[in-house]
Amino acid sequence: MAVLRHGRHVLASLVYSQTQLHAAFGGVVPEVASRDHLRKLPILAEQALHQANVRWPDIGVVAVTRGPGLAGPLLVGVSYAKGVAWTRQIPLVGVNHLEAHLFAHQLAHPDAPPPLLGLIVSGGHTSLVSVPTWGDYRMIGTTRDDAAGEALDKFGRLIGLGYPAGPEIDRLAADGDPSAIRFPRPMVESGLDMSFAGLKTSASYWLKEHPRPPLKDLCASYLEAVVDVLCEKALRAARRLEMTRIVVVGGVAANVRLRAVLSSRAEERGVEVCFPPPELCTDNAAMVAACGYDRFAERGERDTLRLRPDPSLSWDT
Ligand code: KG4
Ligand code: ZN
């Protein structure tokens, strides 16, 4: 839950993490997530208003994620936002979660507008998107199977880490040798699409032959394969599209190794890379508000109270 002024200045941004709840099940159980959101949303709203030092009548627009995502949690959010729009008689704007991730960049670097090449790397998505201007998105590459974050989370499960495993792999890898084990780089040689499922499979075979692996080297080597593929694809896309600015967003963009490797490889090629601060990379409501505000104020878009969540919302809707 976040409160922004003019869609650009974050007055409050609260993230209620369900990590502990999900850890008990080793992943997200939709029904459990939905019920917990329902319980927590009104409480967070009051806290956000308090922190922003504003009251309900000060709120001019309400933005909410309408998809893609899990149906239950989306329904809880959309229903709550409709309630706010109706009772306060203010405009409602539904946003695409992936577009919202891109707006983390606008919040962090308002002086670096499109045209840009977006690399969205999260637990559910891995996409390369050309953004000539805000509101115009062309998907030019995507994963054919697992998302980058999913590849990390599934690997974490194989080696007994908690869920989500990305942050812990990040920490363990910092003290490991990324060249200790040579994992494959699927589909790295050509094209802009990606594939990460084979990487996880090769790690599971490797683990069968090496039952007591050096954990830090293992994490560093696995992470290196993911990072290598992401860097190659992003830089190839930038070269093809003659783009000189790459923007990396989504939970995996918080990864220390990805930030370091992509920044240095891009610099060698004269390409600028922007990463929002880690707290804006992982899911947060500030990016949703920024995106909703842009749709409403810059593009004149808004939704009616008939707005429906769309779990498989794509870029062109
Ligand atoms: O964007 P996000 O918060 O939620 C989705 O929209 O999916 O991304 C969550 C993903 C998870 O797979 C998590 O393991 C990964 O981001 N992640 C990280 C790091 N922090 C979160 N992966 C690598 N390094 C991190 N520091
Ligand atoms: Zn996300």
Side-chain angles (χ1 to χ4, degrees), residues 119-264:
L119 172 62
I120 305 171
V121 270
S122 72
H125 296 270
T126 301
S127 311
L128 277 163
V129 190
S130 161
V131 186
T133 178
W134 290 126
D136 186 1
Y137 308 103
R138 297 165 200 190
M139 236 238 300
I140 54 167
T142 187
T143 179
R144 301 223 175 138
D145 39 58
D146 292 352
E150 194 178 355
L152 295 173
D153 295 338
K154 285 181 173 171
F155 170 71
R157 200 176 186 153
L158 279 179
I159 60 171
L161 302 182
Y163 176 88
E168 204 173 343
I169 293 172
D170 195 358
R171 272 192 299 279
L172 289 164
D175 301 320
D177 173 7
S179 56
I181 307 152
R182 177 77 195 173
F183 287 116
R185 271 72 169 150
M187 295 177 66
V188 77
E189 295 304 330
S190 63
L192 298 178
D193 276 352
M194 292 159 263
S195 162
F196 292 104
L199 176 60
K200 180 207 61 202
T201 309
S202 89
S204 74
Y205 284 135
W206 190 92
L207 283 164
K208 277 185 191 130
E209 285 164 24
H210 305 80
R212 288 178 182 276
L215 203 56
K216 291 175 178 172
D217 287 351
L218 177 62
C219 286
S221 301
Y222 187 87
L223 177 63
E224 199 68 2
V226 175
V227 165
D228 206 13
V229 171
L230 292 175
C231 291
E232 282 313 302
K233 299 287 174 174
L235 290 168
R236 180 174 300 139
R239 196 170 56 239
R240 274 200 202 164
L241 273 64
E242 297 181 356
M243 292 264 193
T244 53
R245 176 173 293 147
I246 300 176
V247 163
V248 194
V249 294
V252 182
N255 187 266
V256 173
R257 184 72 183 159
L258 175 62
R259 293 168 90 98
V261 174
L262 186 53
S263 300
S264 94

Side-chain angles (χ1 to χ4, degrees), residues 5 7 16 38 54 98 120 149 159 205 222 281 287:
R5 178 174 286 131
Y16 164 63
L38 193 59
V54 298
L98 301 179
I120 305 171
I159 60 171
Y205 284 135
Y222 187 87
C281 291
M287 68 186 194

Side-chain angles (χ1 to χ4, degrees), residues 97 101 122 283 287:
H97 181 70
H101 267 301
S122 72
D283 284 352
M287 68 186 194

